[in-house]
Amino acid sequence: MFRTIEWLDDTSQVRLVNQTKLPLTLEHIVTNSHERIAKSIKIMEIRGAPAIGAAAGMGMALAAIESKARTMGDLLEYLENAANTLNTRPTAVNLTWATTRMLEVAKSVTGSIDDVIQRLIDEAKEIAEEDVRMCRSMGENALEFIKPGYTIQTICNAGSLATVHLGTVGAVVRIAHEKYNGDIKVYSAETRPRQQGARLTVFEFIEDDIDTTLITDGMIGTVFREGRVDCCVVGADRILRTGHIINKIGTYTMAITANYHNIPFYSVAPTSTIDMETNPKDVIIEERDPDEVRIINGEYVTVPDAKVYNPAFDMTPPELIDAIITDRGVVRNPTEEKMRKLFPK
Amino acid sequence: MFRTIEWLDDTSQVRLVNQTKLPLTLEHIVTNSHERIAKSIKIMEIRGAPAIGAAAGMGMALAAIESKARTMGDLLEYLENAANTLNTRPTAVNLTWATTRMLEVAKSVTGSIDDVIQRLIDEAKEIAEEDVRMCRSMGENALEFIKPGYTIQTICNAGSLATVHLGTVGAVVRIAHEKYNGDIKVYSAETRPRQQGARLTVFEFIEDDIDTTLITDGMIGTVFREGRVDCCVVGADRILRTGHIINKIGTYTMAITANYHNIPFYSVAPTSTIDMETNPKDVIIEERDPDEVRIINGEYVTVPDAKVYNPAFDMTPPELIDAIITDRGVVRNPTEEKMRKLFPK
């Protein structure tokens, strides 16, 4: 199964998927240089908050090996410089979170330089494994809703490529696929304007031998009416305490269309995605560059100065959601009261 | 206002929009040669059943002028050859219909050669005007549903470019725009996979100074929820006696989403589109080439051998349709009984 980033024990290298080459080429970058990792983060060869957190952790472990330091002082100095180098994207909190965690480990370990280096390697691998475990929990929690033979409708990409492995929706699909001996299929909506469904989701499920069919976003009505799918599983960029989910544009239209056909609609995301403060009416949806809609593959598909409305996300109300699936458990027919139970005092 | 094809009286030429150059360039072909018209039909510089019927009629009038015939026998021979030349697309019934109609006129007129030529020019212009009048009737019949200040949601292209002028949905928008002194706006769904909404509808409404906003197909839920549109007006490739409409893929999803938001949903088409024979369950929807979904502007947007489902049309049931608007009148909340009244015995 497909890993976005991993530590290679035998050569003490990091291997990561070069996402700028997808979907036409699956190309890996294999490196023992923390500067090469920093470059990958900067130019988005690797992207997605959990994935770049893991990359930064592994970059710190590579730096420790590179340093050839003979004293703890030299090692820490080298690591602090490496942390600065790795922090190439200022708004990515996972980067500082991971490099800080690695520096704290380096400072706290007693023993030889080699012991410290080994401890840093273990910590970097642990950061990655924590993400894998969290995704796996979501996938396992979803199993009660997914039966053998099901076909799952997805939108956008909430797969491996944003995480270390499995993904969120990706975990639901992969764990059901594993548990049911491959008897799971996927319909992936292409997800205009940026087509993450076509470019990423189709790619990564085909890599894992999951039977995947691509459709355009407007085809969902026909796909649902013809009984081609059994349920919808979508991610969430933010979940409100009311059970509203904010996710990629097109999700709300899909939820309405699923509801009309009595097809269950599930949203899967880690509890870290849940915002217990904001009211639905206060959510501001980002509007993005009109050229995302006007230009595809470098060419205009409409009048170049056509007026465009391009909201990046939409909001789906809880009455259209059958369950929210998190790493801590499942909330059926979400309400504020039920959402609060995910966070015991 | 924008005409797809017209006869230029002062120079006895035909002027038509070269649709292969749209949406980036509005280029006209102006010609006095029936062979040039035949080429335009063949290579789809002009397309759409009503438009190519008018083109064939005007091509016959050009042939009559070109012929320099001194006898009726010579003229008819020249016209029969021209009719063969103009019939470049074997399945386009409008071509043979128009050329046959022109030949019959030539045979029936008495008077000088010049009289016959003038009568053919008049007939060609009449074929075009009949289409314009039929579109105008649909637009006028729709006025009871469209108020000043309305914003109309469209999908695909049912505009001028498939007809001589106005279009079907295009007539609804243009006649309301004319009647309400420009106080009409449009949201055009891009209509993947072939993007006729982005490529054609946006182009032709902007040409007519109609305030038009392009969205992707998945954005309709947000557009409706935010109250950005007042009604949906879509075309129809076929209308069944039960009131089901078969139209471009995405129409059904739009109808469901409009229904959820209590936004009226209208379909506009000439009565020639109504099929009083076929049952909804017997309708076969054409599936088209997967590469329409996989390739945009010459480049893959997904894995090249990804499995694709690509139905070209979908079927919307009458319970989602507030009215069917035809050249002969309006059918509110369509039923078989009401549809039959369009065809008095």
Side-chain angles (χ1 to χ4, degrees), chain A residues 97-118:
Chain A
W97 169 83
T99 52
T100 304
R101 176 167 160 176
M102 292 295 281
L103 281 172
E104 280 167 8
V105 166
K107 286 173 191 163
S108 68
V109 176
T110 51
S112 69
I113 297 283
D114 281 350
D115 290 342
V116 177
I117 291 173
Q118 188 54 52

Side-chain angles (χ1 to χ4, degrees), chain A residues 1 48 66 79 88 90 98 141 157 168 190 203-204 212 293 333 335:
Chain A
M1 268 176 143
E66 284 165 39
L79 287 175
T88 59
N141 289 339
N157 178 259
T168 56
E190 65 170 340
F203 169 80
E204 63 168 79
T212 304
V293 176
N333 306 314
T335 62

Side-chain angles (χ1 to χ4, degrees), chain A residues 198 211 226 252 261 302 307 309, chain B residues 198 226 252 261 302 307 309:
Chain A
D211 183 336
E226 292 176 349
Y252 174 52
H261 294 90
T302 188
K307 199 196 284 189
Y309 179 48
Chain B
E226 292 176 349
Y252 174 52
H261 294 91
T302 189
K307 198 195 286 189
Y309 179 48

Side-chain angles (χ1 to χ4, degrees), chain A residues 230-264:
Chain A
D230 297 288
C231 64
C232 302
V233 182
V234 307
D237 289 81
R238 186 145 51 129
I239 299 177
L240 305 187
R241 67 176 188 282
T242 48
H244 288 74
I245 69 156
I246 293 114
N247 193 44
K248 182 59 56 192
I249 190 74
T251 303
Y252 174 52
T253 303
M254 183 179 282
I256 293 165
T257 309
N259 183 64
Y260 182 79
H261 294 90
N262 293 313
I263 289 173

Side-chain angles (χ1 to χ4, degrees), chain B residues 170-286:
Chain B
V172 176
V173 169
R174 286 185 171 95
I175 286 176
H177 189 256
E178 179 185 284
K179 183 96 174 175
Y180 303 147
N181 299 311
D183 195 13
I184 286 291
K185 294 190 178 73
V186 169
Y187 270 65
S188 170
E190 64 170 340
T191 321
R192 283 278 290 147
R194 290 176 67 89
Q195 293 173 293
Q196 297 92 332
R199 293 184 191 271
L200 304 179
T201 302
V202 166
F203 168 80
E204 64 168 77
F205 286 154
I206 287 179
E207 278 297 307
D208 280 352
D209 284 327
I210 296 164
D211 183 335
T212 305
T213 302
L214 175 64
I215 60 169
T216 69
D217 305 324
M219 290 175 191
I220 49 172
T222 291
V223 164
F224 295 173
R225 189 180 66 81
E226 292 176 349
R228 289 171 180 263
V229 304
D230 298 288
C231 64
C232 301
V233 182
V234 307
D237 289 80
R238 184 144 55 128
I239 299 178
L240 305 188
R241 68 175 186 283
T242 49
H244 289 73
I245 69 156
I246 293 115
N247 193 44
K248 182 59 56 195
I249 189 74
T251 302
Y252 174 52
T253 303
M254 184 178 282
I256 293 164
T257 309
N259 183 63
Y260 182 80
H261 294 91
N262 293 314
I263 289 173
F265 190 89
Y266 308 115
S267 177
V268 54
T271 38
S272 57
T273 307
I274 300 173
D275 165 1
M276 293 300 284
E277 303 302 322
T278 311
N279 292 310
K281 67 175 175 50
D282 297 327
V283 171
I284 294 164
I285 300 289
E286 173 193 4

